[in-house]
């Protein structure tokens, strides 16, 4: 048998949507560089929320500008206490089964409270990535609509948690990749095919936003299905923390699904899918990965209930306003320096090669800020840079100081 295989080409895949042989070595090279500079594998204790972490090996203290907990609710006492209280009350970590069969009363309560708060049928799960893995193949094959397959168009910048499903979806239907925010491309596809779904993010993880009104217009005119991942906007933006996608897609209807992680600004752990009707909710609950043991564990249910309580308090508005204040202040100080993400809490500075990206993040760390260097394949080749996130639990003074330091470091490294 082994003699028959003469060339690796005989067993390698078609690599139409992913290519580990190319991607993994490129990624590992960049991570190696980061590790050499001591920027990976840091072990810390939180001295003061996210604004003061202490490196347990060196004692170095720094602010975390790499956290997606944009409002600092991940350390809010109400959230932490609710996780403990849920375990105390239920005395079981979870049911460990497909929870469309049997679920705890506290889980049903969470579903009801999330649905009331976000004005949709809200399906929680262990992560947002799992929700996309469960939903997108069913969307593709037409089982959320009329039973006929849809052409699925991914925005080129759609998050890895959706992109990595392309080969699975391509087994069901035609998959396309659309240039970033290119509604003309989308319209051409809608003219050509009767059923089209667009998969994109609301606020993109490396900065920038979807053209929501352009997308809505295509939905209105062609019936395009819209699947938006709003992980970086939920809680951080919008009334009641509804996020960015829901500012335009306020009522969801049968052709829109919004998913989001609740491990980010929301302050708990897991993910949610917001859908328009109860039948869809029930269908998805028993589908694919969600039918395994992917329900939220008891402690996670508790922290999500606690986070909702915080969302209903004035603190949500206060932290959102502080975040907006920090963004405006930062944008003013950094104007003209070519950062991506103006007006957004996610900023990206492109410096070009991996080495400069690591040097920039290392120097920022030395000055007391952890920001993530990002490389190919997360960003395009030759477009390495550093991502930094502003938060609503950052005091103005810290944002000012960060802007000053960043300007100095950019002048040195840039
Ligand atoms: C973080 C993130 C996810 C993954 O969320 P999990 O809940 O960790 O699975 C999905 N989509 C986007 C855009 C993200 O930034």
């Amino acid at each position: 048998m082994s003699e028959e295989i003469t060339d690796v080409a005989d067993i390698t895949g078609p690599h139409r949507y992913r290519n580990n042989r190319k991607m993994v070595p490129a990624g590992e090279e960049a991570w190696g560089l980061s590790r050499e500079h001591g920027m990976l594998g840091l072990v810390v204790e939180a001295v003061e929320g996210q604004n003061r972490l202490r490196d347990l090996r060196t004692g170095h203290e720094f602010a975390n500008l790499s956290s997606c907990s944009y409002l600092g609710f991940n350390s809010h006492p109400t959230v932490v206490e609710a996780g403990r209280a849920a375990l105390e009350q239920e005395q079981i970590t979870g049911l460990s089964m497909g929870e469309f069969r049997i679920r705890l009363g506290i889980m049903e309560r969470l579903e009801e409270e999330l649905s009331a708060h976000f004005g949709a049928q809200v399906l929680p799960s262990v992560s947002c990535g799992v929700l996309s893995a469960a939903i997108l193949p069913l969307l593709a094959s037409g089982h959320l609509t009329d039973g006929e397959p849809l052409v699925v168009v991914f925005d080129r910048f759609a998050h890895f948690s959706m992109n990595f499903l392309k080969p699975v979806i391509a087994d069901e239907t035609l998959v396309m990749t659309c240039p970033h925010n290119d509604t003309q491309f989308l319209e051409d596809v809608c003219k050509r095919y009767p059923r089209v779904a667009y998969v994109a993010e609301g606020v993109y993880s490396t900065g920038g936003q979807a053209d929501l009104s352009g997308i809505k217009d295509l939905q209105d005119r062609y019936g395009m299905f819209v699947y938006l991942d709003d992980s970086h906007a939920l809680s951080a933006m919008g009334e009641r923390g509804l996020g960015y996608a829901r500012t335009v897609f306020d009522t969801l209807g049968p052709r829109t699904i919004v998913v989001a992680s609740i491990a980010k600004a929301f302050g708990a752990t897991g993910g949610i899918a917001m859908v328009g009707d109860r039948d869809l909710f029930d269908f998805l609950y028993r589908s694919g990965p969600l039918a395994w043991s992917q329900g939220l564990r008891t402690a996670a249910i508790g922290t999500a209930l606690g986070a909702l309580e915080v969302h209903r308090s004035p603190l949500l508005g206060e932290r959102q306003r502080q975040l907006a204040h920090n963004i405006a202040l930062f944008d003013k100080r950094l104007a003209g320096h070519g950062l991506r993400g103006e007006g957004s809490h996610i900023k990206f500075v492109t410096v070009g090669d991996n080495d400069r990206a690591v040097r920039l993040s290392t120097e920022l760390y030395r000055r007391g800020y952890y920001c993530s260097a990002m490389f190919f394949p997360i960003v395009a080749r030759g477009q390495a840079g550093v991502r930094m996130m502003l938060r609503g639990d950052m005091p103005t003074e810290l944002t000012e100081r960060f802007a000053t330091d960043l300007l100095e470091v950019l002048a040195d490294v840039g």
Side-chain angles (χ1 to χ4, degrees), residues 259-278:
V259 297
S261 177
I262 56 169
K264 292 180 175 167
F266 186 81
T269 182
I272 54 172
M274 303 187 236
V275 301
D277 75 82
R278 186 69 194 186

Side-chain angles (χ1 to χ4, degrees), residues 392-412:
D393 58 326
M394 277 172 80
T396 304
E397 179 273 325
L398 174 58
T399 310
E400 288 274 16
R401 192 154 43 82
F402 174 61
T404 303
D405 276 308
L406 178 61
L407 283 166
E408 285 178 21
V409 176
L410 281 175
D412 277 359

Side-chain angles (χ1 to χ4, degrees), residues 126-130 159 161 201 205 229 231-232 261-264 270-271:
V126 76
S127 81
C128 181
V130 155
H159 191 258
S161 59
E201 289 181 48
S205 46
D229 180 338
S231 290
H232 289 286
S261 177
I262 56 169
K264 292 180 175 167

